[in-house]
Amino acid sequence: MKFFCTKVLLAVSWTTAAAFITPPRPSSTSFINTQRSTTTSLSESALIIQNKGGGHGELGYQIAKLLDADSRITNITLLQDVNADYDKEPFKSYPTDLPNVVVNSIPFEEWIDEFTMQNMLGGGESKWDYIFDNCSKSPTGAHKAFVDCAAKWGTVKLYCYVSSAGMYQPTDSTEFPMAEDTTPIKETAGQHRFDEYVVEKGLPLVSFRPQYIYGPKSNKHSYLDFFFDKLVEGEPIPIPGDGSQLVSLTCSEDVASLLVSPMSKGDPKVEEAATTQRYFNCGTDQLVSYKDVACLCAEVAGIAPSDVQIESTGTEKSDDFPFRATNFYVAPDKAKSTLGWEGPKHTLKEDLVWYYEDYKVRKKPAVVGVNGDDAVVNGV
């Protein structure tokens, strides 16, 4: 079954729907310390643990920018997975965009124990007040070792963990948006086991569950590139069902603002409320259907609605389709009511303008015209 894009629907809100040098790649047994010492004698300090890339790859960068703008945070360290590619975003922008942030690169390996981890952090006196963990996927190896270290500091006010809404396992009876307290989760998921271990060690855990993320310095582009790839090639876009399934795509800057919201106002009561609630969905409250995404992408690419073909794949999805075959979305209601998060500043419709410009740069000269000719879509 084929159907065509004839009208673009706007995103639906839930309220209406119910002197620094770029570091070389270190060896697996060394780490790099730049700028200030990681020893934190000041009262407000933050440590960001950043993975090597992927869907969450930009969040550490965005969190660091927000914390650097907070006058209460006087010492910021970004603990970077040594396996990151420093020739790619966001890592290559650390020197220019985060001049006041200490960047330490260390290996997150299974053999690392608590003693080794504390030494890599700068020794026994190194400790921080706020932790933003955008790296750990299970309580093993270096990730377990870090938690063990933090549990002994006696200084941690919040341990903010970037988990994943991917652990949700909605059933036929699940009501959407998926709620933190009632939606079934995969009990064996590494992120869930990590949550449990942080709590077991007595740390003030606040665990966030983001969904699909895009951003200006992301190194994962498959969510939106899937649609642009088909559109510029003039190919049908394979979408399961009738394409009316709802999803939320959130800009990394909005995700980061939600992640820092428990401490951004400097209110101990908010921090206490955050650790009491503990689990928060993390995403925009603006919903779009799969058909909406296709049509919005076509609009910014200058492709006429009559030239957009969406082909249903039935109840299954194609191997390259980046989302689930069913509805899959959350709402940030608890983050708004408990943490005082003001909501997203971005909309997908507006952000697709700059995203498409970036897409053309990344894909050039492989991208061809929608009519199948050899013209390169390069914006000129």
Side-chain angles (χ1 to χ4, degrees):
M1 179 179 68
K2 291 186 179 180
F3 46 89
F4 299 89
C5 175
T6 57
K7 181 180 181 182
V8 175
L9 301 178
L10 295 179
V12 183
S13 73
W14 167 239
T15 56
T16 63
F20 184 113
I21 300 175
T22 301
R25 186 183 303 278
S27 69
S28 61
T29 58
S30 67
F31 68 98
I32 289 176
N33 189 352
T34 59
Q35 297 287 327
R36 301 168 294 190
S37 167
T38 59
T39 301
T40 58
S41 59
L42 299 173
S43 59
E44 301 292 338
S45 57
L47 177 69
I48 304 163
I49 312 172
Q50 176 56 46
N51 65 18
K52 63 182 179 180
H56 293 184
E58 187 184 350
L59 295 182
Y61 167 89
Q62 298 293 354
I63 292 169
K65 287 183 64 178
L66 292 174
L67 295 179
D68 193 34
D70 188 335
S71 61
R72 295 178 301 110
I73 307 300
T74 55
N75 187 297
I76 306 168
T77 298
L78 198 157
L79 196 65
Q80 177 63 56
D81 187 329
V82 72
N83 292 308
D85 186 343
Y86 291 102
D87 293 328
K88 295 182 178 180
E89 295 287 10
F91 316 112
K92 70 178 184 180
S93 291
Y94 286 173
T96 55
D97 295 2
L98 304 176
N100 300 317
V101 175
V102 176
V103 178
N104 283 358
S105 294
I106 72 168
F108 287 93
E109 305 290 348
E110 285 300 308
W111 56 266
I112 294 178
D113 58 16
E114 178 184 338
F115 177 79
T116 304
M117 174 60 71
Q118 188 64 51
N119 281 338
M120 288 195 296
L121 291 173
E125 297 302 315
S126 296
K127 55 191 69 175
W128 290 263
D129 300 308
Y130 296 99
I131 308 298
F132 295 88
D133 188 344
N134 186 42
C135 184
S136 298
K137 291 186 177 180
S138 65
T140 59
H143 309 294
K144 176 182 181 297
F146 178 82
V147 173
D148 293 340
C149 291
K152 292 184 176 180
W153 297 342
T155 60
V156 179
K157 298 178 180 180
L158 290 175
Y159 194 111
C160 298
Y161 174 49
V162 185
S163 180
S164 173
M167 72 168 63
Y168 285 133
Q169 292 188 313
T171 65
D172 292 340
S173 60
T174 296
E175 294 185 2
F176 284 86
M178 297 178 291
E180 297 93 331
D181 301 328
T182 58
T183 306
I185 64 171
K186 185 178 181 180
E187 298 288 341
T188 59
Q191 293 96 334
H192 176 61
R193 292 188 292 110
F194 188 82
D195 284 338
E196 293 183 318
Y197 188 70
V198 176
V199 173
E200 177 186 321
K201 299 299 289 186
L203 288 164
L205 174 71
V206 185
S207 183
F208 296 92
R209 296 169 178 172
Q211 272 196 290
Y212 305 112
I213 303 170
Y214 67 91
K217 292 186 180 293
S218 177
N219 46 57
K220 180 176 181 178
H221 306 98
S222 57
Y223 301 135
L224 296 172
D225 279 13
F226 167 82
F227 294 92
F228 283 120
D229 287 347
K230 304 298 184 183
L231 287 165
V232 299
E233 292 284 356
E235 297 178 356
I237 304 174
I239 292 179
D242 63 1
S244 65
Q245 304 94 312
L246 295 175
V247 68
S248 62
L249 290 108
T250 310
C251 180
S252 59
E253 293 177 354
D254 287 331
V255 174
S257 73
L258 198 157
L259 294 173
V260 303
S261 61
M263 49 76 65
S264 61
K265 294 181 173 59
D267 187 344
K269 292 183 179 179
V270 175
E271 294 182 10
E272 181 180 1
T275 57
T276 298
Q277 167 59 39
R278 181 153 290 157
Y279 301 106
F280 292 91
N281 286 329
C282 185
T284 182
D285 51 8
Q286 301 165 354
L287 306 179
V288 287
S289 71
Y290 297 151
K291 281 184 63 178
D292 292 340
V293 179
C295 294
L296 288 168
C297 289
E299 182 179 353
V300 299
I303 298 172
S306 58
D307 292 329
V308 179
Q309 299 184 47
I310 301 176
E311 186 172 56
S312 175
T313 58
T315 59
E316 302 298 324
K317 65 174 189 172
S318 62
D319 291 339
D320 58 343
F321 186 70
F323 306 114
R324 303 201 181 192
T326 61
N327 285 321
F328 195 76
Y329 60 93
V330 298
D333 296 351
K334 277 188 170 27
K336 287 184 174 182
S337 62
T338 305
L339 308 178
W341 187 55
E342 296 178 355
K345 304 298 183 184
H346 292 258
T347 68
L348 180 63
K349 180 180 176 66
E350 294 174 346
D351 284 349
L352 280 174
V353 176
W354 61 256
Y355 186 96
Y356 183 58
E357 293 304 311
D358 176 73
Y359 171 86
K360 290 187 291 185
V361 172
R362 285 188 289 106
K363 295 290 184 174
K364 184 181 179 179
V367 175
V368 300
V370 296
N371 294 324
D373 56 30
D374 295 327
V376 175
V377 179
N378 57 17
V380 296

PDB file of all heavy atoms in Angstrom, residues 23-24 63 70 79 100 123 144 172 207 237 264 300 309 312 317 351 360 373:
ATOM      1  N   PRO A  23      43.469  17.255  22.627  1.00  0.00           N
ATOM      2  CA  PRO A  23      44.242  16.118  23.106  1.00  0.00           C
ATOM      3  C   PRO A  23      44.395  15.047  22.039  1.00  0.00           C
ATOM      4  O   PRO A  23      43.450  14.756  21.303  1.00  0.00           O
ATOM      5  CB  PRO A  23      43.392  15.589  24.272  1.00  0.00           C
ATOM      6  CG  PRO A  23      42.013  16.027  23.971  1.00  0.00           C
ATOM      7  CD  PRO A  23      42.156  17.345  23.257  1.00  0.00           C
ATOM      8  N   PRO A  24      45.595  14.456  21.917  1.00  0.00           N
ATOM      9  CA  PRO A  24      45.745  13.306  21.044  1.00  0.00           C
ATOM     10  C   PRO A  24      45.050  12.117  21.650  1.00  0.00           C
ATOM     11  O   PRO A  24      44.695  12.135  22.831  1.00  0.00           O
ATOM     12  CB  PRO A  24      47.273  13.098  21.016  1.00  0.00           C
ATOM     13  CG  PRO A  24      47.731  13.632  22.348  1.00  0.00           C
ATOM     14  CD  PRO A  24      46.829  14.804  22.638  1.00  0.00           C
ATOM     15  N   ILE A  63      25.870  19.570  28.378  1.00  0.00           N
ATOM     16  CA  ILE A  63      25.807  19.745  29.834  1.00  0.00           C
ATOM     17  C   ILE A  63      26.924  20.667  30.295  1.00  0.00           C
ATOM     18  O   ILE A  63      26.715  21.566  31.122  1.00  0.00           O
ATOM     19  CB  ILE A  63      25.904  18.381  30.550  1.00  0.00           C
ATOM     20  CG1 ILE A  63      24.660  17.541  30.273  1.00  0.00           C
ATOM     21  CG2 ILE A  63      26.087  18.560  32.060  1.00  0.00           C
ATOM     22  CD1 ILE A  63      24.787  16.092  30.726  1.00  0.00           C
ATOM     23  N   ASP A  70      26.765  28.625  34.629  1.00  0.00           N
ATOM     24  CA  ASP A  70      26.210  28.716  35.980  1.00  0.00           C
ATOM     25  C   ASP A  70      27.300  29.212  36.920  1.00  0.00           C
ATOM     26  O   ASP A  70      28.287  28.520  37.171  1.00  0.00           O
ATOM     27  CB  ASP A  70      25.715  27.339  36.427  1.00  0.00           C
ATOM     28  CG  ASP A  70      24.955  27.374  37.745  1.00  0.00           C
ATOM     29  OD1 ASP A  70      25.182  28.303  38.549  1.00  0.00           O
ATOM     30  OD2 ASP A  70      24.147  26.458  37.991  1.00  0.00           O
ATOM     31  N   LEU A  79      35.056  13.918  32.075  1.00  0.00           N
ATOM     32  CA  LEU A  79      35.794  12.659  32.047  1.00  0.00           C
ATOM     33  C   LEU A  79      35.411  11.923  30.765  1.00  0.00           C
ATOM     34  O   LEU A  79      34.323  11.366  30.658  1.00  0.00           O
ATOM     35  CB  LEU A  79      35.445  11.827  33.281  1.00  0.00           C
ATOM     36  CG  LEU A  79      36.372  10.668  33.643  1.00  0.00           C
ATOM     37  CD1 LEU A  79      37.748  11.179  34.019  1.00  0.00           C
ATOM     38  CD2 LEU A  79      35.771   9.867  34.792  1.00  0.00           C
ATOM     39  N   ASN A 100      36.961  26.561  29.710  1.00  0.00           N
ATOM     40  CA  ASN A 100      37.039  26.567  31.169  1.00  0.00           C
ATOM     41  C   ASN A 100      36.814  25.196  31.790  1.00  0.00           C
ATOM     42  O   ASN A 100      36.721  25.074  33.007  1.00  0.00           O
ATOM     43  CB  ASN A 100      36.004  27.544  31.741  1.00  0.00           C
ATOM     44  CG  ASN A 100      36.224  28.961  31.256  1.00  0.00           C
ATOM     45  OD1 ASN A 100      37.359  29.440  31.210  1.00  0.00           O
ATOM     46  ND2 ASN A 100      35.147  29.645  30.893  1.00  0.00           N
ATOM     47  N   GLY A 123      43.801  11.315  42.226  1.00  0.00           N
ATOM     48  CA  GLY A 123      44.270  10.979  43.560  1.00  0.00           C
ATOM     49  C   GLY A 123      43.182  11.075  44.607  1.00  0.00           C
ATOM     50  O   GLY A 123      42.030  11.425  44.331  1.00  0.00           O
ATOM     51  N   LYS A 144      31.482   0.543  37.540  1.00  0.00           N
ATOM     52  CA  LYS A 144      31.308   0.139  38.939  1.00  0.00           C
ATOM     53  C   LYS A 144      32.371   0.797  39.808  1.00  0.00           C
ATOM     54  O   LYS A 144      32.067   1.304  40.900  1.00  0.00           O
ATOM     55  CB  LYS A 144      31.392  -1.375  39.074  1.00  0.00           C
ATOM     56  CG  LYS A 144      31.324  -1.885  40.506  1.00  0.00           C
ATOM     57  CD  LYS A 144      31.467  -3.396  40.560  1.00  0.00           C
ATOM     58  CE  LYS A 144      31.376  -3.912  41.995  1.00  0.00           C
ATOM     59  NZ  LYS A 144      32.470  -3.397  42.858  1.00  0.00           N
ATOM     60  N   ASP A 172       0.196  -4.275  25.217  1.00  0.00           N
ATOM     61  CA  ASP A 172      -1.021  -3.842  24.518  1.00  0.00           C
ATOM     62  C   ASP A 172      -1.886  -2.949  25.397  1.00  0.00           C
ATOM     63  O   ASP A 172      -2.692  -2.164  24.888  1.00  0.00           O
ATOM     64  CB  ASP A 172      -1.829  -5.063  24.072  1.00  0.00           C
ATOM     65  CG  ASP A 172      -1.135  -5.852  22.976  1.00  0.00           C
ATOM     66  OD1 ASP A 172      -0.251  -5.277  22.315  1.00  0.00           O
ATOM     67  OD2 ASP A 172      -1.461  -7.045  22.801  1.00  0.00           O
ATOM     68  N   SER A 207      17.731   9.436  37.897  1.00  0.00           N
ATOM     69  CA  SER A 207      17.938   8.703  36.647  1.00  0.00           C
ATOM     70  C   SER A 207      16.985   9.206  35.571  1.00  0.00           C
ATOM     71  O   SER A 207      15.768   9.249  35.776  1.00  0.00           O
ATOM     72  CB  SER A 207      17.714   7.200  36.887  1.00  0.00           C
ATOM     73  OG  SER A 207      17.981   6.460  35.722  1.00  0.00           O
ATOM     74  N   ILE A 237       9.592   5.954   0.876  1.00  0.00           N
ATOM     75  CA  ILE A 237      10.030   5.865   2.272  1.00  0.00           C
ATOM     76  C   ILE A 237       9.257   4.728   2.934  1.00  0.00           C
ATOM     77  O   ILE A 237       8.038   4.816   3.097  1.00  0.00           O
ATOM     78  CB  ILE A 237       9.760   7.181   3.014  1.00  0.00           C
ATOM     79  CG1 ILE A 237      10.431   8.352   2.290  1.00  0.00           C
ATOM     80  CG2 ILE A 237      10.250   7.092   4.462  1.00  0.00           C
ATOM     81  CD1 ILE A 237      10.098   9.709   2.866  1.00  0.00           C
ATOM     82  N   SER A 264      19.843  23.269  38.796  1.00  0.00           N
ATOM     83  CA  SER A 264      20.048  24.534  38.096  1.00  0.00           C
ATOM     84  C   SER A 264      19.557  25.746  38.881  1.00  0.00           C
ATOM     85  O   SER A 264      20.057  26.851  38.697  1.00  0.00           O
ATOM     86  CB  SER A 264      19.363  24.503  36.721  1.00  0.00           C
ATOM     87  OG  SER A 264      17.968  24.319  36.863  1.00  0.00           O
ATOM     88  N   VAL A 300      11.665  21.075   3.968  1.00  0.00           N
ATOM     89  CA  VAL A 300      12.919  21.834   4.054  1.00  0.00           C
ATOM     90  C   VAL A 300      13.858  21.487   2.898  1.00  0.00           C
ATOM     91  O   VAL A 300      14.730  22.280   2.544  1.00  0.00           O
ATOM     92  CB  VAL A 300      13.629  21.601   5.406  1.00  0.00           C
ATOM     93  CG1 VAL A 300      12.759  22.050   6.562  1.00  0.00           C
ATOM     94  CG2 VAL A 300      14.056  20.169   5.579  1.00  0.00           C
ATOM     95  N   GLN A 309       6.728   9.847  -1.719  1.00  0.00           N
ATOM     96  CA  GLN A 309       6.009   8.583  -1.657  1.00  0.00           C
ATOM     97  C   GLN A 309       6.357   7.857  -0.357  1.00  0.00           C
ATOM     98  O   GLN A 309       7.526   7.646  -0.055  1.00  0.00           O
ATOM     99  CB  GLN A 309       6.373   7.692  -2.841  1.00  0.00           C
ATOM    100  CG  GLN A 309       6.021   8.288  -4.189  1.00  0.00           C
ATOM    101  CD  GLN A 309       6.313   7.311  -5.304  1.00  0.00           C
ATOM    102  OE1 GLN A 309       5.965   6.135  -5.235  1.00  0.00           O
ATOM    103  NE2 GLN A 309       6.954   7.792  -6.360  1.00  0.00           N
ATOM    104  N   SER A 312       3.934   1.701   2.821  1.00  0.00           N
ATOM    105  CA  SER A 312       3.696   0.943   4.049  1.00  0.00           C
ATOM    106  C   SER A 312       4.361  -0.426   3.976  1.00  0.00           C
ATOM    107  O   SER A 312       4.289  -1.122   2.968  1.00  0.00           O
ATOM    108  CB  SER A 312       2.191   0.759   4.285  1.00  0.00           C
ATOM    109  OG  SER A 312       1.962  -0.073   5.398  1.00  0.00           O
ATOM    110  N   LYS A 317       8.778  -3.626  10.106  1.00  0.00           N
ATOM    111  CA  LYS A 317       9.517  -2.457   9.673  1.00  0.00           C
ATOM    112  C   LYS A 317      10.745  -2.902   8.891  1.00  0.00           C
ATOM    113  O   LYS A 317      11.255  -4.016   9.071  1.00  0.00           O
ATOM    114  CB  LYS A 317       9.929  -1.595  10.864  1.00  0.00           C
ATOM    115  CG  LYS A 317      10.912  -2.258  11.821  1.00  0.00           C
ATOM    116  CD  LYS A 317      11.366  -1.267  12.874  1.00  0.00           C
ATOM    117  CE  LYS A 317      12.513  -1.852  13.702  1.00  0.00           C
ATOM    118  NZ  LYS A 317      13.105  -0.858  14.600  1.00  0.00           N
ATOM    119  N   ASP A 351      14.209  23.180  13.563  1.00  0.00           N
ATOM    120  CA  ASP A 351      15.566  22.643  13.574  1.00  0.00           C
ATOM    121  C   ASP A 351      15.925  21.897  12.294  1.00  0.00           C
ATOM    122  O   ASP A 351      17.109  21.776  11.955  1.00  0.00           O
ATOM    123  CB  ASP A 351      15.762  21.701  14.767  1.00  0.00           C
ATOM    124  CG  ASP A 351      15.921  22.452  16.082  1.00  0.00           C
ATOM    125  OD1 ASP A 351      16.088  23.693  16.045  1.00  0.00           O
ATOM    126  OD2 ASP A 351      15.885  21.803  17.146  1.00  0.00           O
ATOM    127  N   LYS A 360      23.570  18.130   3.951  1.00  0.00           N
ATOM    128  CA  LYS A 360      24.142  18.294   2.620  1.00  0.00           C
ATOM    129  C   LYS A 360      25.668  18.338   2.667  1.00  0.00           C
ATOM    130  O   LYS A 360      26.345  17.800   1.784  1.00  0.00           O
ATOM    131  CB  LYS A 360      23.594  19.559   1.965  1.00  0.00           C
ATOM    132  CG  LYS A 360      22.125  19.439   1.580  1.00  0.00           C
ATOM    133  CD  LYS A 360      21.657  20.643   0.791  1.00  0.00           C
ATOM    134  CE  LYS A 360      21.597  21.907   1.612  1.00  0.00           C
ATOM    135  NZ  LYS A 360      21.021  23.038   0.853  1.00  0.00           N
ATOM    136  N   ASP A 373      18.834  12.431 -11.384  1.00  0.00           N
ATOM    137  CA  ASP A 373      19.918  12.829 -12.240  1.00  0.00           C
ATOM    138  C   ASP A 373      21.226  12.871 -11.438  1.00  0.00           C
ATOM    139  O   ASP A 373      21.283  12.480 -10.300  1.00  0.00           O
ATOM    140  CB  ASP A 373      19.643  14.189 -12.906  1.00  0.00           C
ATOM    141  CG  ASP A 373      19.363  15.286 -11.872  1.00  0.00           C
ATOM    142  OD1 ASP A 373      19.918  15.183 -10.765  1.00  0.00           O
ATOM    143  OD2 ASP A 373      18.614  16.214 -12.203  1.00  0.00           O
TER     144      ASP A 373
END
